[in-house]
Amino acid sequence: MKKKQQVMADMPEGGENPLTSAVVSRDRSTLDMVSDAIRHNQTMLAYQPIMQAMPPQGVAFYEGYIRVLDSTGRVIPAREFMPLVEDKEEGRELDCLALEHGLKALARSPNIRLSINMSARSIGYRRWMRVLERHLKKDLTLGERLMLEISEASAMATPELVIDFIDRMQKHGIAFALDNFGAGATAVSYFRQFFFDAVKIDGQFVRNIHASHDNQAVVRALVGIAKQFDMLVVAESVESPADAEFLISIGVDCLQGYLFGAPSVSPPWLEELRENSRAS
C-alpha cells in the first residue's frame, strides 16, 4: 500500500504517469530502430538446428529467426521487437525480409531444409506473396525444402484464411508447422481442417519437464493429439539431457533448444562444411 501511495505521490499533478511515459518512449524507440533497419536493409536470419530424436540423431532441418541491427551494429533478437510490430506494417515487412533471406539460403545450399516464421496476417500481404512466387519460379525445389511456421494464436485469429492458404500451397510442396502448440486455444474442429504437417510444442511446457509431472501430462496429451493427426512433433526449448530423454521416451520426433545449439547468424551448415574440409 505504501508503494502505491509513493508512486501516486511521485506523479505530477494533472500529468502523465512517468512509468507510462517511459514505456511509450521505449516502444517508440524500438519502432524507430526496426523502421531504420528495414529501410537500410539491416536484417538477417539467425539459424538454429532441429535435431532428429531417434538415431542417427542428425539435423532434421534448421529454423531461421529474423534479426535486426541497431544503430551500433548490435544484433537484436526478435523477442525484443516482434511483439510490438507483429500487427503493424513493420511486422509485414519483416515477414517479407525473413522469407527473402530464407529462400536465398535454400537456393545457395540445396542440401538443407529450413523453416521460417510468418504471421497469418501476411497471407494477404501482396509483397510477401510476390517474394514467395518469384523464388518458387526460379527454383521449383525450394518449396519442398521450405517449412512455414504459424503460431497457434495467429492461426486461430483467421483460421479460414490459414486453411485456404495451406491448401493452395500444397502444390508447391511447402510444409507447415503450428508453432507454440499448447500455448493458445486451438479449437479441435479447426484443428482437423488445418492439415499442418508438424506441431512445435511450446517451450513453457518443455523446460525442466523431467521434473514436472504437470508438464509431463500436458505434453503427453499434446503429443497424442498431434500423432492422431499424423503430425511431426517438435519440442522447443530443450535445455538438458534429462528433458531430451523424457521427450524421446514419449514419442517426440524432433528436439530444438540450447542443448543442441543457440541461434547463430553464421549458417551452421557452412561452419560444418569448413570443419570437415579442415579435418580432411
Side-chain angles (χ1 to χ4, degrees), residues 84-95:
L84 186 63
V85 304
E86 187 174 7
D87 60 350
K88 297 179 173 60
E89 182 73 10
E90 289 86 352
R92 306 290 66 72
E93 293 291 327
L94 287 174
D95 273 4

Side-chain angles (χ1 to χ4, degrees), residues 2 189 205:
K2 288 181 179 179
S189 59
F205 303 115

Side-chain angles (χ1 to χ4, degrees), residues 43-247:
T43 63
M44 60 182 64
L45 292 182
Y47 303 94
Q48 187 175 35
I50 290 86
M51 311 300 294
Q52 297 173 356
M54 302 303 290
Q57 297 177 320
V59 176
F61 58 99
Y62 297 89
E63 179 173 357
Y65 299 94
I66 191 67
R67 298 287 189 259
V68 303
L69 301 179
D70 68 8
S71 58
T72 68
R74 250 184 343 133
V75 179
I76 310 299
R79 65 175 178 272
E80 301 294 332
F81 56 83
M82 211 60 191
L84 186 63
V85 304
E86 187 174 7
D87 60 350
K88 297 179 173 60
E89 182 73 10
E90 289 86 352
R92 306 290 66 72
E93 293 291 327
L94 287 174
D95 273 4
C96 292
L97 290 165
L99 182 63
E100 183 90 47
H101 289 312
L103 291 170
K104 285 181 177 178
L106 286 173
R108 288 191 297 264
S109 303
N111 296 322
I112 66 164
R113 291 176 61 89
L114 186 62
S115 71
I116 300 293
N117 292 278
M118 65 170 293
S119 168
R121 295 181 178 91
S122 292
I123 292 172
Y125 194 67
R126 289 183 180 179
R127 184 186 163 194
W128 190 92
M129 286 303 302
R130 284 199 299 268
V131 170
L132 181 61
E133 290 168 357
R134 186 175 72 250
H135 283 275
L136 290 178
K137 284 180 182 177
K138 288 181 183 177
D139 186 342
L140 297 177
T141 71
L142 292 186
E144 298 169 359
R145 296 186 288 119
L146 173 66
M147 179 181 288
L148 295 173
E149 298 189 19
I150 304 176
S151 73
E152 189 173 24
S154 183
M156 286 309 303
T158 54
E160 292 88 356
L161 187 65
V162 174
I163 291 167
D164 176 69
F165 178 62
I166 292 176
D167 184 60
R168 287 189 288 115
M169 291 298 107
Q170 282 185 344
K171 63 183 180 182
H172 299 295
I174 298 171
F176 286 86
L178 183 65
D179 200 11
N180 307 125
F181 184 44
T186 303
V188 174
S189 59
Y190 281 119
F191 198 84
R192 285 201 301 263
Q193 300 173 49
F194 273 129
F195 292 109
F196 279 101
D197 300 281
V199 295
K200 300 185 75 176
I201 297 174
D202 194 78
Q204 65 177 303
F205 303 115
V206 173
R207 296 184 195 92
N208 206 37
I209 190 173
H210 74 279
S212 171
H213 294 298
D214 289 343
N215 284 351
Q216 289 174 12
V218 170
V219 172
R220 277 197 177 97
L222 294 174
V223 170
I225 293 170
K227 294 290 186 181
Q228 178 64 33
F229 293 97
D230 295 320
M231 297 178 182
L232 183 83
V233 182
V234 181
E236 302 176 315
S237 302
V238 182
E239 298 174 354
S240 74
D243 288 342
E245 184 178 348
F246 174 80
L247 292 162

